[in-house]
Amino acid sequence: MAPKVMTPALLDQLAERFKALGEPARLQLLSALRQREQTVSQLVQSTGLGQANVSKHLQLLCSAGFIARRRAGIFAFYTLADDGVFALCDLMCGRIERSHREQRAALKLAR
Amino acid sequence: MAPKVMTPALLDQLAERFKALGEPARLQLLSALRQREQTVSQLVQSTGLGQANVSKHLQLLCSAGFIARRRAGIFAFYTLADDGVFALCDLMCGRIERSHREQRAALKLAR
DNA sequence: TTGCCACATTACTATTTAGTTATATGTCAA
DNA sequence: TTGACATATAACTAAATAGTAATGTGGCAA
């Protein structure tokens, strides 16, 4: 995977998915769904975001393949499509931590 | 890493970095840099993007910590900060491939 | 049916951002 | 110095997008 030379189409798909994760509100939704499957109202409640806003973000995450929708009567339950998303977040968090460490080290040296 | 409950600050930093990867032009630049360290002009040449545009994208990738800058006389050489970025791309590409497989499988079933 | 509820969608505003053109900065050579 | 070159920055336009308020849609209960 991630062949050395990537076609424009692959670049677009990659970018589309990274962009889907490039929004705090959506990461918050994913993080909330990590606990358990939830309805839209529950997510509105637990995130403090507006209903229409949550609905839109969920559509986007859905079409990017990160979450799935299940209809039950009046409710729409959203759930993680798989928890591979968090492997991505783990990697990225690792980068963040490392850069923080390096910043601190640089400050020490400069002192 | 990627603690179960993420602070707003961490969510913002995560999102910022994912957003940096959420642009085909920037992925293209990273992909080009995978081969070797390159100057801005070389990247302009190899990507077909405008000079000012490339420069801006490079700044952004730099401040997101994905690449580093080295000054040599008249030139600015950009290089990957580390190739951990491609681990992220690998994971994401894996997701893309899987979703393609699932789409194909769904089509077969529906036929 | 009627009304209510959960969610989706539309229409809109404000903000962000990709891309471009023009210009500024900085380095080297003559 | 002057001029040429590489890169950065500023100013701007056009497009994308987050957020919101209002409305639409569909299922359930009475």
Side-chain angles (χ1 to χ4, degrees):
Chain A
M1 351 181 165
K4 279 266 178 181
V5 54
M6 300 194 249
T7 67
L10 180 54
L11 286 176
D12 282 350
Q13 294 181 62
L14 257 182
E16 184 198 344
R17 281 164 169 81
F18 278 125
K19 194 182 295 188
L21 299 184
E23 188 63 26
R26 286 192 287 271
L27 292 177
Q28 205 182 341
L29 287 168
L30 289 173
S31 174
L33 289 176
R34 190 174 200 178
Q35 320 296 324
R36 62 184 171 286
E37 184 185 53
Q38 285 181 68
T39 68
V40 177
S41 320
Q42 287 176 316
L43 288 167
V44 167
Q45 174 104 13
S46 65
T47 60
L49 302 168
Q51 183 264 319
N53 197 15
V54 165
S55 199
K56 274 201 335 188
H57 283 310
L58 290 173
Q59 305 301 317
L60 199 153
L61 286 170
C62 219
S63 73
F66 290 113
I67 61 178
R69 206 181 96 113
R70 177 175 71 85
R71 184 88 199 211
I74 251 182
F75 300 96
F77 282 92
Y78 284 91
T79 180
L80 292 178
D82 65 294
D83 52 356
V85 207
F86 295 104
L88 287 164
C89 291
D90 282 351
L91 274 182
M92 201 60 103
C93 283
R95 298 184 67 86
I96 293 174
E97 277 186 23
R98 200 175 331 140
S99 89
H100 284 178
R101 266 203 305 279
E102 281 163 11
Q103 266 181 262
R104 279 196 300 271
L107 280 179
K108 265 187 191 169
L109 284 178
R111 199 185 298 164
Chain B
M1 351 184 163
K4 278 266 176 178
V5 54
M6 299 195 250
T7 67
L10 180 56
L11 287 175
D12 282 349
Q13 294 182 61
L14 257 181
E16 184 198 344
R17 280 164 170 82
F18 278 125
K19 193 183 295 188
L21 299 183
E23 188 63 26
R26 286 193 286 269
L27 292 177
Q28 205 183 340
L29 287 168
L30 289 172
S31 173
L33 289 176
R34 188 174 202 177
Q35 321 295 327
R36 63 184 170 288
E37 184 185 53
Q38 283 181 68
T39 69
V40 177
S41 321
Q42 287 175 317
L43 289 167
V44 167
Q45 173 104 13
S46 65
T47 59
L49 302 169
Q51 183 264 320
N53 197 15
V54 166
S55 199
K56 275 201 333 187
H57 283 310
L58 290 173
Q59 304 301 317
L60 199 153
L61 286 171
C62 219
S63 71
F66 290 113
I67 62 178
R69 205 182 97 112
R70 175 175 73 86
R71 184 87 198 214
I74 251 182
F75 300 96
F77 283 92
Y78 283 91
T79 180
L80 293 179
D82 64 295
D83 52 355
V85 207
F86 295 105
L88 286 164
C89 291
D90 282 352
L91 274 181
M92 202 62 103
C93 283
R95 299 183 67 85
I96 293 174
E97 277 185 23
R98 199 172 333 138
S99 89
H100 284 179
R101 267 202 306 279
E102 281 164 11
Q103 267 180 263
R104 279 196 299 272
L107 280 177
K108 264 188 191 168
L109 284 178
R111 199 185 300 164

